[in-house]
Amino acid sequence: MKERKRPYFVGRKGEMQHVFRAEEIICLFTEQDSIMVRTKQGIFESFLSLLSLPSEK
């Protein structure tokens, strides 16, 4: 499968959406049934699955 590079990701905090780049991600974790993304700007619920989030190879 060909890997796609995503220039940005979108997360949700309450009713607000936040756009961030992969290099802004500090860590990922799960909370109940959601994937959460921690950045310097805060913690956001991800719209993506873990498989579609960035990884280093």
Side-chain angles (χ1 to χ4, degrees):
M1 180 160 35
K2 186 176 180 181
E3 182 178 337
R4 294 177 293 168
K5 297 265 183 187
R6 296 179 70 85
Y8 65 90
F9 296 88
V10 179
R12 178 177 56 217
K13 188 173 194 176
E15 296 296 317
M16 300 294 292
Q17 291 187 358
H18 179 77
V19 177
F20 50 90
R21 295 183 316 270
E23 55 268 14
E24 295 180 77
I25 297 173
I26 296 170
C27 70
L28 304 170
F29 60 95
T30 59
E31 188 171 283
Q32 296 176 353
D33 292 333
S34 299
I35 305 298
M36 307 302 287
V37 179
R38 181 185 302 269
T39 70
K40 287 183 180 179
Q41 290 76 35
I43 298 173
F44 304 93
E45 181 179 2
S46 173
F47 293 116
L48 303 172
S49 69
L50 280 178
L51 292 175
S52 60
L53 290 170
S55 65
E56 291 189 22
K57 294 183 179 190

